Amino acid sequence: MGGALLRYRAIAYIVGVVLIVLVVIGMPLKYVWDEPSIVETVGPAHGFLYMIYLVAVFDLARRARWGLRRMLLVMLAGTIPFLSFYAERVATRWVREPVAVTG
């Protein structure tokens, strides 16, 4: 599972950075200064990278035996600026320190 976690962590960081560039730099340039070039280049790149992120989350969730709700929450974290960084830390903790099931 170490490979799946490493792939997830890398793509979560990349998606987070690209989303921040898109929202913090690209959107103001497009809507305030009428310069859409950043959005036109970074937007599609983010979309492609987000699809890779979804696959990485699905792979990690399957290997870690997460429930559907947990997997979907981690997937959605890639759509909100800065949240993917927090979700990456939490998901890493979930994988490295799984809760003991009693019963």
Side-chain angles (χ1 to χ4, degrees):
M1 186 167 8
L5 180 60
L6 182 61
R7 285 187 297 274
Y8 163 72
R9 292 184 73 191
I11 195 65
Y13 180 81
I14 293 167
V15 166
V17 169
V18 172
L19 182 59
I20 290 169
V21 168
L22 183 62
V23 172
V24 174
I25 298 170
M27 294 302 217
L29 281 173
K30 180 177 181 178
Y31 294 109
V32 176
W33 290 284
D34 197 31
E35 178 53 53
S37 62
I38 299 291
V39 172
E40 290 172 351
T41 54
V42 176
H46 173 69
F48 177 75
L49 291 168
Y50 184 70
M51 289 187 286
I52 296 171
Y53 173 82
L54 293 176
V55 171
V57 172
F58 177 78
D59 181 44
L60 182 63
R62 184 181 56 81
R63 292 172 192 260
R65 298 177 188 231
W66 290 349
L68 180 63
R69 182 174 182 219
R70 179 176 283 187
M71 180 183 71
L72 291 175
L73 287 173
V74 174
M75 285 179 168
L76 287 173
T79 64
I80 301 170
F82 298 101
L83 189 58
S84 67
F85 302 113
Y86 175 74
E88 180 269 324
R89 298 306 304 159
V90 172
T92 299
R93 187 171 4 110
W94 286 338
V95 170
R96 290 185 176 162
E97 303 168 7
V99 176
V101 177
T102 59

